[in-house]
Amino acid sequence: MASRSCALLLVLAMATTWLAADAGAGAGPVFNVTDFGAVADGKTDSSRAFLRAWMRACATPGRPAVVVPRGGSYLLHPLVLRGPCRGYMEVRVAGVLRAPPGLGAFRGCREWVHFSGVDGLLVTGGGTFDGRGATAWPLNECPKKRDCKLLPTSIKLGRVTNATITGVTSLDSKFFHVTVAGSHGVRIHGVTIRAPRDSPNTDGVHIQGSSDVRVTDCAVATGDDCVSVGPGASDVVVSGVTCGPGHGISVGSLGRYPGEEDVRRLRVVNCTIAGTSNGVRIKTWRGGSRPTSVSGLVFEDIVMRKVRNPIIIDQEYCPYASCRESEQRPSAVRISDVKFRNIRGVSATQVAVKLSCSEASPCRGLELRDIDLRYFKRGVSTQSQCAHVAGGVVGGTLVPPSCI
Ligand SMILES: *[C@@H]1O[C@H](CO)[C@@H](O)[C@H](O)[C@H]1NC(C)=O
Ligand SMILES: *[C@@H]1O[C@H](CO)[C@@H](O)[C@H](O)[C@H]1NC(C)=O
Ligand SMILES: *[C@@H]1O[C@H](CO)[C@@H](O)[C@H](O)[C@H]1NC(C)=O
C-alpha cells in the first residue's frame, strides 16, 4: 500500500544521548520538540524531530506530553505518529505546524499528520495546523473527475480510541481538515477550522467507520461540508457547531462503493448554519449495489441563516456532467427514522425542504416538527418538495407546509 511507503522511517539508536524529559506545566513529563532538533523557522523539515519526541513520549508511562512551543512555525513533512503507547499521550501544539507546499513531499501519503493505533490521546495547546492548501487546490481534480487522486487530509485519527482534539486551529487543509476513521470514543471540542469558500473538498470534520464521536462547540468555515458523516459511522453527536461558508452538515455521500457499512444514530443539535449551500443533508449516489441503510437520525434546534437548501435528502446524487449507466438506476440506500425538529431561519431558495428519496427504497419514518423556514425575500413563501416518501409524522409549526 502506498500509505506504508509514506511513513517516515526512523531507526533510533537507543544508545544515543538520552534526552531528559523535564517536568512541564501538564501532569507528566514533557518532550519538547526543540530538544529533539525541531527548528522554528518554518523552513527546516522538523518531522524527524517530531517523530523522535513522539517515540520517546510513547514509550513513557503516565501522561507524557509532546510539546511544540509557542512563537515559531515548524515545517512538517507527512508524519505517522503510531501507537500503541505506554501512557496517555498529549500533543501540546502552541506554535504553528506548516505543511509542505504542493504535493511533492506527499508521494502517496493520504495524510499530513496521521495518528494511528493510539489509545488515549489529547491534541491541544492553542496552536495551528496550517495545511497550506492554496498551493495544492489547483491540483485537485476531484470536483470534476470521477477517478481522481485524493489529496492529503491534514489531521487523521485512524484506529484511535479515547481521543480528544481541543483548542487548536486547522487552517487551509489541502483536502479534508480532520478525518476520524476506524476510531472510537473521540471528542472534537472547541476547534476552529478555516478555509476559503471556494477551496475544493476542504471538509471540516469527516467521520466514517467510527462510533461514539462527538463534535462540539466548533466553528467551521470551509469550501465543502462542515461535518460529513460517512459509511460505518454510529453514535455520533454534533452540537454547538457553527457552519459557514461551506456545504453544511452532511450524511454521505453514501452508496458509491460496494461493502459500505450503515450509518446509525446521529444527533445534530444546537447548531447554526449560515451562508451555506445546504443546511442538513443526506446524500446518496444513484445506483449502488449493496442496500446500506441510514437510520436513527435527529436534527434538532438548528438555526439557518440564508442557506440554499436548509433541509435536504438527495438520493439522486451524481455530481458529474455525464453519469454512468449504473448511476441512472435509483439509489439502493434505505433511509428511515429521520427527525427534523425545531429548525428555523432563512432560506436563500424557495424550496426550503426537499425530500427527494429513492424510487427503489422510499424513505420511511420521517418526522418534520416545528419547522419555520422563511424565504429571504419578504412576501414570497417557501415550499417543500417530496418524492418517494413512504409516510411519516408531522407536528407543530410547519413553514413551509409539509409535503409528507
Ligand atoms: C521548549 O523549548 C523551547 C526552546 O528551548 C523553550 O523556549 C520552551 O519554553 C520549551 N517549552 C516547554 C513547555 O518546555
Ligand atoms: C481515557 O483516558 C483518560 C486519561 O488517561 C482516562 O482517565 C479514561 O479512563 C480513559 N477512558 C477510557 C474509556 O479508556
Ligand atoms: C448551543 O451552542 C452554543 C454555541 O454555538 C453554546 O454557547 C450554547 O451553550 C449551546 N446551548 C446548549 C443548550 O447546548
Side-chain angles (χ1 to χ4, degrees), residues 268-294:
V268 177
V269 63
N270 185 30
C271 293
T272 300
I273 304 179
T276 54
S277 53
N278 304 289
V280 291
R281 168 168 66 161
I282 303 172
K283 62 173 169 173
T284 77
W285 285 74
R286 285 176 152 280
S289 39
R290 192 173 160 274
T292 48
S293 85
V294 176

PDB file of all heavy atoms in Angstrom, residues 268-294:
ATOM      1  N   VAL A 268     -27.679  15.773  15.537  1.00  0.00           N
ATOM      2  CA  VAL A 268     -27.134  17.093  15.250  1.00  0.00           C
ATOM      3  C   VAL A 268     -28.012  18.073  15.994  1.00  0.00           C
ATOM      4  O   VAL A 268     -29.214  18.160  15.715  1.00  0.00           O
ATOM      5  CB  VAL A 268     -27.153  17.386  13.733  1.00  0.00           C
ATOM      6  CG1 VAL A 268     -26.650  18.799  13.456  1.00  0.00           C
ATOM      7  CG2 VAL A 268     -26.316  16.362  12.978  1.00  0.00           C
ATOM      8  N   VAL A 269     -27.459  18.765  16.966  1.00  0.00           N
ATOM      9  CA  VAL A 269     -28.301  19.584  17.844  1.00  0.00           C
ATOM     10  C   VAL A 269     -27.633  20.922  18.139  1.00  0.00           C
ATOM     11  O   VAL A 269     -26.404  21.012  18.199  1.00  0.00           O
ATOM     12  CB  VAL A 269     -28.607  18.767  19.139  1.00  0.00           C
ATOM     13  CG1 VAL A 269     -27.364  18.463  19.910  1.00  0.00           C
ATOM     14  CG2 VAL A 269     -29.642  19.448  20.001  1.00  0.00           C
ATOM     15  N   ASN A 270     -28.461  21.959  18.267  1.00  0.00           N
ATOM     16  CA  ASN A 270     -27.962  23.290  18.658  1.00  0.00           C
ATOM     17  C   ASN A 270     -26.836  23.786  17.749  1.00  0.00           C
ATOM     18  O   ASN A 270     -25.759  24.126  18.208  1.00  0.00           O
ATOM     19  CB  ASN A 270     -27.498  23.235  20.134  1.00  0.00           C
ATOM     20  CG  ASN A 270     -27.078  24.593  20.656  1.00  0.00           C
ATOM     21  OD1 ASN A 270     -27.600  25.625  20.212  1.00  0.00           O
ATOM     22  ND2 ASN A 270     -26.112  24.625  21.567  1.00  0.00           N
ATOM     23  N   CYS A 271     -27.099  23.810  16.466  1.00  0.00           N
ATOM     24  CA  CYS A 271     -26.081  24.295  15.529  1.00  0.00           C
ATOM     25  C   CYS A 271     -26.600  25.509  14.771  1.00  0.00           C
ATOM     26  O   CYS A 271     -27.808  25.670  14.595  1.00  0.00           O
ATOM     27  CB  CYS A 271     -25.712  23.200  14.527  1.00  0.00           C
ATOM     28  SG  CYS A 271     -24.856  21.803  15.283  1.00  0.00           S
ATOM     29  N   THR A 272     -25.697  26.348  14.326  1.00  0.00           N
ATOM     30  CA  THR A 272     -26.051  27.488  13.483  1.00  0.00           C
ATOM     31  C   THR A 272     -25.345  27.319  12.148  1.00  0.00           C
ATOM     32  O   THR A 272     -24.132  27.100  12.110  1.00  0.00           O
ATOM     33  CB  THR A 272     -25.608  28.811  14.151  1.00  0.00           C
ATOM     34  OG1 THR A 272     -26.272  28.912  15.400  1.00  0.00           O
ATOM     35  CG2 THR A 272     -25.969  30.007  13.286  1.00  0.00           C
ATOM     36  N   ILE A 273     -26.130  27.418  11.093  1.00  0.00           N
ATOM     37  CA  ILE A 273     -25.586  27.183   9.756  1.00  0.00           C
ATOM     38  C   ILE A 273     -25.875  28.428   8.923  1.00  0.00           C
ATOM     39  O   ILE A 273     -27.031  28.833   8.799  1.00  0.00           O
ATOM     40  CB  ILE A 273     -26.231  25.926   9.138  1.00  0.00           C
ATOM     41  CG1 ILE A 273     -26.018  24.729  10.090  1.00  0.00           C
ATOM     42  CG2 ILE A 273     -25.661  25.644   7.758  1.00  0.00           C
ATOM     43  CD1 ILE A 273     -26.614  23.428   9.616  1.00  0.00           C
ATOM     44  N   ALA A 274     -24.839  29.065   8.413  1.00  0.00           N
ATOM     45  CA  ALA A 274     -25.023  30.370   7.768  1.00  0.00           C
ATOM     46  C   ALA A 274     -24.313  30.453   6.431  1.00  0.00           C
ATOM     47  O   ALA A 274     -23.137  30.087   6.306  1.00  0.00           O
ATOM     48  CB  ALA A 274     -24.501  31.475   8.688  1.00  0.00           C
ATOM     49  N   GLY A 275     -25.046  30.919   5.422  1.00  0.00           N
ATOM     50  CA  GLY A 275     -24.436  31.203   4.119  1.00  0.00           C
ATOM     51  C   GLY A 275     -23.894  29.983   3.414  1.00  0.00           C
ATOM     52  O   GLY A 275     -22.947  30.073   2.632  1.00  0.00           O
ATOM     53  N   THR A 276     -24.502  28.826   3.640  1.00  0.00           N
ATOM     54  CA  THR A 276     -24.003  27.593   3.032  1.00  0.00           C
ATOM     55  C   THR A 276     -24.936  27.146   1.900  1.00  0.00           C
ATOM     56  O   THR A 276     -26.062  27.613   1.792  1.00  0.00           O
ATOM     57  CB  THR A 276     -23.949  26.461   4.079  1.00  0.00           C
ATOM     58  OG1 THR A 276     -25.238  26.356   4.678  1.00  0.00           O
ATOM     59  CG2 THR A 276     -22.932  26.743   5.161  1.00  0.00           C
ATOM     60  N   SER A 277     -24.456  26.192   1.097  1.00  0.00           N
ATOM     61  CA  SER A 277     -25.306  25.693   0.017  1.00  0.00           C
ATOM     62  C   SER A 277     -26.365  24.729   0.554  1.00  0.00           C
ATOM     63  O   SER A 277     -27.457  24.651   0.008  1.00  0.00           O
ATOM     64  CB  SER A 277     -24.463  25.026  -1.067  1.00  0.00           C
ATOM     65  OG  SER A 277     -23.627  24.056  -0.505  1.00  0.00           O
ATOM     66  N   ASN A 278     -26.033  23.978   1.601  1.00  0.00           N
ATOM     67  CA  ASN A 278     -27.015  23.103   2.239  1.00  0.00           C
ATOM     68  C   ASN A 278     -26.999  23.342   3.738  1.00  0.00           C
ATOM     69  O   ASN A 278     -25.996  23.820   4.277  1.00  0.00           O
ATOM     70  CB  ASN A 278     -26.675  21.630   1.990  1.00  0.00           C
ATOM     71  CG  ASN A 278     -26.576  21.321   0.517  1.00  0.00           C
ATOM     72  OD1 ASN A 278     -27.570  21.289  -0.190  1.00  0.00           O
ATOM     73  ND2 ASN A 278     -25.355  21.155   0.036  1.00  0.00           N
ATOM     74  N   GLY A 279     -28.107  22.971   4.383  1.00  0.00           N
ATOM     75  CA  GLY A 279     -28.142  23.046   5.836  1.00  0.00           C
ATOM     76  C   GLY A 279     -27.811  21.690   6.389  1.00  0.00           C
ATOM     77  O   GLY A 279     -26.657  21.360   6.648  1.00  0.00           O
ATOM     78  N   VAL A 280     -28.870  20.871   6.538  1.00  0.00           N
ATOM     79  CA  VAL A 280     -28.660  19.478   6.924  1.00  0.00           C
ATOM     80  C   VAL A 280     -29.074  18.609   5.740  1.00  0.00           C
ATOM     81  O   VAL A 280     -30.134  18.769   5.171  1.00  0.00           O
ATOM     82  CB  VAL A 280     -29.424  19.126   8.212  1.00  0.00           C
ATOM     83  CG1 VAL A 280     -28.801  19.857   9.384  1.00  0.00           C
ATOM     84  CG2 VAL A 280     -30.909  19.456   8.124  1.00  0.00           C
ATOM     85  N   ARG A 281     -28.187  17.708   5.379  1.00  0.00           N
ATOM     86  CA  ARG A 281     -28.374  16.974   4.126  1.00  0.00           C
ATOM     87  C   ARG A 281     -28.041  15.495   4.289  1.00  0.00           C
ATOM     88  O   ARG A 281     -27.097  15.133   4.992  1.00  0.00           O
ATOM     89  CB  ARG A 281     -27.439  17.574   3.059  1.00  0.00           C
ATOM     90  CG  ARG A 281     -27.300  16.737   1.802  1.00  0.00           C
ATOM     91  CD  ARG A 281     -26.636  17.462   0.669  1.00  0.00           C
ATOM     92  NE  ARG A 281     -25.231  17.795   0.924  1.00  0.00           N
ATOM     93  CZ  ARG A 281     -24.362  18.093  -0.039  1.00  0.00           C
ATOM     94  NH1 ARG A 281     -24.757  18.132  -1.299  1.00  0.00           N
ATOM     95  NH2 ARG A 281     -23.107  18.383   0.257  1.00  0.00           N
ATOM     96  N   ILE A 282     -28.808  14.665   3.611  1.00  0.00           N
ATOM     97  CA  ILE A 282     -28.428  13.255   3.451  1.00  0.00           C
ATOM     98  C   ILE A 282     -28.288  13.042   1.951  1.00  0.00           C
ATOM     99  O   ILE A 282     -29.229  13.321   1.208  1.00  0.00           O
ATOM    100  CB  ILE A 282     -29.521  12.309   4.004  1.00  0.00           C
ATOM    101  CG1 ILE A 282     -29.792  12.624   5.488  1.00  0.00           C
ATOM    102  CG2 ILE A 282     -29.098  10.847   3.823  1.00  0.00           C
ATOM    103  CD1 ILE A 282     -30.991  11.875   6.048  1.00  0.00           C
ATOM    104  N   LYS A 283     -27.138  12.623   1.507  1.00  0.00           N
ATOM    105  CA  LYS A 283     -26.989  12.420   0.070  1.00  0.00           C
ATOM    106  C   LYS A 283     -26.490  11.013  -0.246  1.00  0.00           C
ATOM    107  O   LYS A 283     -25.564  10.513   0.373  1.00  0.00           O
ATOM    108  CB  LYS A 283     -26.096  13.492  -0.567  1.00  0.00           C
ATOM    109  CG  LYS A 283     -24.691  13.539  -0.069  1.00  0.00           C
ATOM    110  CD  LYS A 283     -23.838  14.530  -0.877  1.00  0.00           C
ATOM    111  CE  LYS A 283     -22.505  14.771  -0.207  1.00  0.00           C
ATOM    112  NZ  LYS A 283     -21.560  15.574  -0.960  1.00  0.00           N
ATOM    113  N   THR A 284     -27.148  10.398  -1.191  1.00  0.00           N
ATOM    114  CA  THR A 284     -26.741   9.057  -1.607  1.00  0.00           C
ATOM    115  C   THR A 284     -26.642   9.037  -3.120  1.00  0.00           C
ATOM    116  O   THR A 284     -27.410   9.693  -3.808  1.00  0.00           O
ATOM    117  CB  THR A 284     -27.751   7.969  -1.145  1.00  0.00           C
ATOM    118  OG1 THR A 284     -28.902   7.985  -1.980  1.00  0.00           O
ATOM    119  CG2 THR A 284     -28.174   8.167   0.302  1.00  0.00           C
ATOM    120  N   TRP A 285     -25.676   8.275  -3.597  1.00  0.00           N
ATOM    121  CA  TRP A 285     -25.481   8.169  -5.038  1.00  0.00           C
ATOM    122  C   TRP A 285     -26.598   7.366  -5.675  1.00  0.00           C
ATOM    123  O   TRP A 285     -27.178   6.480  -5.053  1.00  0.00           O
ATOM    124  CB  TRP A 285     -24.140   7.488  -5.338  1.00  0.00           C
ATOM    125  CG  TRP A 285     -22.980   8.370  -5.109  1.00  0.00           C
ATOM    126  CD1 TRP A 285     -22.473   8.750  -3.895  1.00  0.00           C
ATOM    127  CD2 TRP A 285     -22.180   8.997  -6.100  1.00  0.00           C
ATOM    128  NE1 TRP A 285     -21.402   9.577  -4.089  1.00  0.00           N
ATOM    129  CE2 TRP A 285     -21.192   9.744  -5.423  1.00  0.00           C
ATOM    130  CE3 TRP A 285     -22.197   8.998  -7.495  1.00  0.00           C
ATOM    131  CZ2 TRP A 285     -20.234  10.485  -6.102  1.00  0.00           C
ATOM    132  CZ3 TRP A 285     -21.236   9.737  -8.166  1.00  0.00           C
ATOM    133  CH2 TRP A 285     -20.277  10.476  -7.473  1.00  0.00           C
ATOM    134  N   ARG A 286     -26.837   7.674  -6.900  1.00  0.00           N
ATOM    135  CA  ARG A 286     -27.706   6.815  -7.698  1.00  0.00           C
ATOM    136  C   ARG A 286     -26.982   5.488  -7.879  1.00  0.00           C
ATOM    137  O   ARG A 286     -25.775   5.410  -7.747  1.00  0.00           O
ATOM    138  CB  ARG A 286     -27.917   7.444  -9.070  1.00  0.00           C
ATOM    139  CG  ARG A 286     -28.860   8.611  -9.047  1.00  0.00           C
ATOM    140  CD  ARG A 286     -28.915   9.217 -10.426  1.00  0.00           C
ATOM    141  NE  ARG A 286     -30.192   9.855 -10.625  1.00  0.00           N
ATOM    142  CZ  ARG A 286     -31.304   9.217 -10.937  1.00  0.00           C
ATOM    143  NH1 ARG A 286     -31.310   7.914 -11.113  1.00  0.00           N
ATOM    144  NH2 ARG A 286     -32.415   9.878 -11.083  1.00  0.00           N
ATOM    145  N   GLY A 287     -27.762   4.455  -8.205  1.00  0.00           N
ATOM    146  CA  GLY A 287     -27.151   3.147  -8.420  1.00  0.00           C
ATOM    147  C   GLY A 287     -26.722   2.557  -7.091  1.00  0.00           C
ATOM    148  O   GLY A 287     -27.383   2.737  -6.081  1.00  0.00           O
ATOM    149  N   GLY A 288     -25.616   1.852  -7.081  1.00  0.00           N
ATOM    150  CA  GLY A 288     -25.138   1.256  -5.838  1.00  0.00           C
ATOM    151  C   GLY A 288     -25.614  -0.173  -5.759  1.00  0.00           C
ATOM    152  O   GLY A 288     -26.750  -0.483  -6.113  1.00  0.00           O
ATOM    153  N   SER A 289     -24.739  -1.049  -5.270  1.00  0.00           N
ATOM    154  CA  SER A 289     -25.038  -2.467  -5.318  1.00  0.00           C
ATOM    155  C   SER A 289     -25.655  -2.961  -4.018  1.00  0.00           C
ATOM    156  O   SER A 289     -26.677  -3.635  -4.023  1.00  0.00           O
ATOM    157  CB  SER A 289     -23.757  -3.237  -5.619  1.00  0.00           C
ATOM    158  OG  SER A 289     -22.673  -2.654  -4.939  1.00  0.00           O
ATOM    159  N   ARG A 290     -25.046  -2.624  -2.896  1.00  0.00           N
ATOM    160  CA  ARG A 290     -25.499  -3.207  -1.636  1.00  0.00           C
ATOM    161  C   ARG A 290     -26.438  -2.208  -0.945  1.00  0.00           C
ATOM    162  O   ARG A 290     -26.149  -1.028  -0.866  1.00  0.00           O
ATOM    163  CB  ARG A 290     -24.282  -3.470  -0.756  1.00  0.00           C
ATOM    164  CG  ARG A 290     -24.577  -4.324   0.445  1.00  0.00           C
ATOM    165  CD  ARG A 290     -23.288  -4.676   1.159  1.00  0.00           C
ATOM    166  NE  ARG A 290     -23.550  -5.076   2.530  1.00  0.00           N
ATOM    167  CZ  ARG A 290     -23.648  -4.243   3.530  1.00  0.00           C
ATOM    168  NH1 ARG A 290     -23.479  -2.960   3.338  1.00  0.00           N
ATOM    169  NH2 ARG A 290     -23.892  -4.673   4.754  1.00  0.00           N
ATOM    170  N   PRO A 291     -27.572  -2.718  -0.422  1.00  0.00           N
ATOM    171  CA  PRO A 291     -28.514  -1.799   0.207  1.00  0.00           C
ATOM    172  C   PRO A 291     -28.113  -1.406   1.630  1.00  0.00           C
ATOM    173  O   PRO A 291     -28.595  -1.965   2.597  1.00  0.00           O
ATOM    174  CB  PRO A 291     -29.827  -2.588   0.197  1.00  0.00           C
ATOM    175  CG  PRO A 291     -29.416  -4.018   0.216  1.00  0.00           C
ATOM    176  CD  PRO A 291     -28.068  -4.095  -0.431  1.00  0.00           C
ATOM    177  N   THR A 292     -27.225  -0.481   1.761  1.00  0.00           N
ATOM    178  CA  THR A 292     -26.869   0.019   3.090  1.00  0.00           C
ATOM    179  C   THR A 292     -28.029   0.853   3.614  1.00  0.00           C
ATOM    180  O   THR A 292     -28.869   1.312   2.864  1.00  0.00           O
ATOM    181  CB  THR A 292     -25.621   0.912   3.037  1.00  0.00           C
ATOM    182  OG1 THR A 292     -25.786   1.850   1.990  1.00  0.00           O
ATOM    183  CG2 THR A 292     -24.379   0.113   2.807  1.00  0.00           C
ATOM    184  N   SER A 293     -28.030   1.066   4.937  1.00  0.00           N
ATOM    185  CA  SER A 293     -29.127   1.841   5.476  1.00  0.00           C
ATOM    186  C   SER A 293     -28.647   2.978   6.364  1.00  0.00           C
ATOM    187  O   SER A 293     -27.549   2.952   6.914  1.00  0.00           O
ATOM    188  CB  SER A 293     -30.104   0.925   6.214  1.00  0.00           C
ATOM    189  OG  SER A 293     -29.679   0.720   7.531  1.00  0.00           O
ATOM    190  N   VAL A 294     -29.486   3.992   6.420  1.00  0.00           N
ATOM    191  CA  VAL A 294     -29.254   5.175   7.249  1.00  0.00           C
ATOM    192  C   VAL A 294     -30.457   5.273   8.165  1.00  0.00           C
ATOM    193  O   VAL A 294     -31.580   5.376   7.677  1.00  0.00           O
ATOM    194  CB  VAL A 294     -29.206   6.438   6.360  1.00  0.00           C
ATOM    195  CG1 VAL A 294     -29.062   7.687   7.218  1.00  0.00           C
ATOM    196  CG2 VAL A 294     -28.084   6.347   5.346  1.00  0.00           C
TER     197      VAL A 294
END
